[in-house]
Amino acid sequence: LEQAAKDAEAANTQASSSAKAAVRAYWQKVANYRTASDQKAAAKEASDMAQREVLEAEFLHAAQSNAMAQALQEQAEADALKEKVESVQEYAAVFYEKLKEVREPEGNDMMK
């Protein structure tokens, strides 16, 4: 009987140790799952932040491209206006030269 009690106690101890090991393994798996879940959430947050930064960079690039195109358009308009002014100046110079010839016929062979 004494041997049976010792065997039962040994079996109980072994079962208790197995149960404790199973509980420890379960809690380790829970901890691993939580760690993996936290890492996944952090990676998702980093990914979302990177996507926001990409969108902001694309918006900034588009805005800068638009500003650059507008500046080039304004430069082209300014160049066209400058050419018109130069053309008017040339016309005015010719006009005043002809006016001078009309006012001073002695210097003009055709007006004599």
Side-chain angles (χ1 to χ4, degrees):
L1 191 61
E2 195 176 305
Q3 184 61 36
K6 285 183 180 179
D7 288 343
E9 188 178 330
N12 186 25
T13 302
Q14 185 177 5
S16 179
S17 292
S18 293
K20 287 179 183 177
V23 168
R24 278 194 300 273
Y26 169 78
W27 286 113
Q28 183 60 47
K29 287 180 182 180
V30 167
N32 290 344
Y33 174 80
R34 286 182 181 159
T35 300
S37 180
D38 290 346
Q39 289 173 344
K40 181 181 176 185
K44 173 81 168 106
E45 186 176 331
S47 173
D48 291 347
M49 186 181 301
Q51 287 178 340
R52 280 191 303 272
E53 289 174 357
V54 165
L55 288 175
E56 289 173 4
E58 288 174 349
F59 178 77
L60 179 62
H61 176 71
Q64 288 176 341
S65 294
N66 187 33
M68 180 67 81
Q70 192 172 7
L72 289 173
Q73 178 66 30
E74 290 173 1
Q75 182 65 42
E77 290 172 1
D79 290 344
L81 182 60
K82 180 181 175 187
E83 288 178 20
K84 285 182 182 180
V85 168
E86 288 172 353
S87 175
V88 168
Q89 285 177 336
E90 289 173 13
Y91 176 79
V94 169
F95 172 79
Y96 285 115
E97 184 63 34
K98 297 294 181 187
L99 182 63
K100 180 180 175 186
E101 289 176 6
V102 169
R103 286 188 178 168
E104 299 173 11
E106 62 276 353
N108 187 350
D109 293 338
M110 293 183 74
M111 299 299 281
K112 292 183 183 180

